[in-house]
Amino acid sequence: QGTIETSEREHLVSFWQFLSGKGRTGYLALQGFRFLGMPGPDEENNALCNILKKSINMKELELSTLALLTRGDGKTASVAALKHLESITIRGPYHQRCVAILSSLRSPIVKVDLSFGFRDPVPLLANFRDSLEVIDCTCMTFRDPGISKQLIYPKVECFVIIDCRLPRLSALKTSFPNLRRLSIDNEVDVHNEDPEEEMRLSIEREKLRKANQDFQKTKSWDTLDFFSADLHRLYMLALRCKVNHFWLSGPFWYHEEDIYWFTSSLALMRPTRLGFILLTRLFPPRHLLEILSIGTEEVRRLDITLAIESPGSDDVDPEDALVPEQALVTGCTSLKYRF
């Protein structure tokens, strides 16, 4: 029993022949299958369909969207035949068959990992709303809950959002009322060198922050065990609930705007554990912890990574310069620096 992974399409036929040679027990023993390549239109495609259709005990499946682009409709039916599947991953360029496969599945899916284009995952995963616990999605578009406000995922506790347009908090809270872990990250630089475009982005940012603040006057999660976001999405989300562990994904500069965005958000989340990467040209960053302590009165563990561009003196030990300031974080029992 185990999981097989391959990206070489010529391996599909030999693996299919191997399983067939074992009789029914060969297929029954396959618990997981990951195919990251693109099968040919004939024998290789037939091999993939048979592996999927006959491996009825399969619990984990990962396919590249390239595997879905070849001719024949057998793959959708083959995946639909998997009644014990618990985890499915589909990655690559968008194709309509991605939606067809998810729509055809009736398995009690617990975890999905999707990265195939701009589709709203809330209605897309409706078949699994009573079993789904973990969602990881990249390059998706979230709509406000007006379209799918009746779709509630009561068991989802972990949601990872990468390179997606930031959804309104109302959409997240409505569909995922029992969330415990939330990660929101974007590798795209949100700054724009065009002043007019930067002004437009700034207006949108403040508008979304205001909408999230207004929503949380009556609704929000009570507590999140873990929350991670880059600085801009942290500011726009304006999360107002207790966060046990907050990690600022991506560095921020030691200047007035970034410090304000960061500390104003921390004051609302009251994290017990806090971690971040700080870019600075100053050495040491003067009054760093004094500034941060405004929003970190409940912090018991603090993890700081300093990226120093221009050290002021080669004779100064970074830890000697910073450790004396740890008393500024009231009650903090663990303080770590990395350089």
Side-chain angles (χ1 to χ4, degrees), residues 20-280:
S20 299
K22 295 284 186 179
R24 190 167 179 265
T25 57
Y27 291 104
L28 294 179
L30 188 62
Q31 296 287 305
F33 184 64
R34 300 170 186 161
F35 179 64
L36 310 179
M38 181 176 180
D42 299 315
E43 187 177 18
E44 294 160 0
N45 185 65
N46 187 44
L48 177 59
C49 290
N50 275 280
I51 292 171
L52 295 175
K53 183 182 297 184
K54 296 180 181 181
S55 302
I56 59 175
N57 289 333
M58 189 183 298
K59 294 183 178 180
E60 179 185 352
L61 175 63
E62 179 174 353
L63 293 173
S64 71
T65 58
L66 296 177
L68 308 176
L69 298 180
T70 50
R71 295 178 183 177
D73 298 325
K75 287 181 287 293
T76 300
S78 298
V79 174
L82 299 173
K83 303 303 182 184
H84 303 288
L85 202 63
E86 296 177 356
S87 173
I88 184 167
T89 299
I90 303 177
R91 292 183 170 273
Y94 170 73
H95 188 272
Q96 183 60 34
R97 281 186 185 158
C98 303
V99 176
I101 281 182
L102 292 172
S103 299
S104 68
L105 263 176
R106 294 296 184 271
S107 302
I109 299 294
V110 174
K111 179 181 179 180
V112 295
D113 186 341
L114 306 178
S115 174
F116 55 72
F118 294 89
R119 288 278 175 160
D120 188 349
V122 175
L124 192 61
L125 302 174
N127 287 350
F128 325 124
R129 61 183 177 272
D130 293 327
S131 59
L132 202 55
E133 298 177 7
V134 178
I135 302 176
D136 190 327
C137 61
T138 303
C139 296
M140 294 281 177
T141 296
F142 291 82
R143 296 186 174 93
D144 285 341
I147 297 176
S148 53
K149 62 183 178 181
Q150 302 303 319
L151 289 176
I152 297 176
Y153 295 76
K155 292 185 178 180
V156 170
E157 293 190 350
C158 180
F159 202 170
V160 179
I161 305 171
I162 302 174
D163 288 343
C164 300
R165 183 174 180 177
L166 186 67
R168 288 176 180 261
L169 192 71
S170 56
L172 291 175
K173 180 63 173 69
T174 300
S175 294
F176 311 105
N178 300 313
L179 206 61
R180 302 297 302 178
R181 300 176 63 87
L182 176 62
S183 297
I184 301 177
D185 201 4
N186 197 320
E187 298 180 0
V188 179
D189 188 358
V190 296
H191 287 296
N192 195 291
E193 295 182 359
D194 182 350
E196 292 186 1
E197 180 64 14
E198 179 62 30
M199 177 62 70
R200 185 189 68 79
L201 292 174
S202 178
I203 292 173
E204 286 189 0
R205 184 164 54 237
E206 295 299 332
K207 183 179 179 181
L208 180 55
R209 178 176 172 82
K210 179 64 164 56
N212 288 334
Q213 288 174 326
D214 290 344
F215 174 77
Q216 291 179 97
K217 290 178 181 178
T218 57
K219 296 180 180 180
S220 187
W221 298 287
D222 292 330
T223 304
L224 290 181
D225 293 331
F226 177 80
F227 175 47
S228 173
D230 61 272
L231 185 61
H232 290 83
R233 279 142 202 87
L234 171 67
Y235 180 73
M236 287 187 287
L237 201 61
L239 189 62
R240 191 183 187 92
C241 75
K242 171 66 178 175
V243 175
N244 291 328
H245 181 191
F246 173 67
W247 172 254
L248 184 69
S249 61
F252 72 103
W253 278 102
Y254 184 75
H255 59 59
E256 184 175 351
E257 183 179 58
D258 281 14
I259 291 292
Y260 168 72
W261 285 4
F262 192 26
T263 56
S264 63
S265 300
L266 292 180
L268 300 175
M269 298 187 300
R270 312 179 311 281
T272 305
R273 179 179 178 182
L274 171 64
F276 59 90
I277 300 172
L278 178 67
L279 299 175
T280 179

Side-chain angles (χ1 to χ4, degrees), residues 301-319:
R301 177 171 176 178
L302 183 59
D303 300 310
I304 302 176
T305 300
L306 286 181
I308 301 170
E309 187 172 282
S310 301
S313 171
D314 294 335
D315 298 328
V316 178
D317 186 322
E319 294 197 23

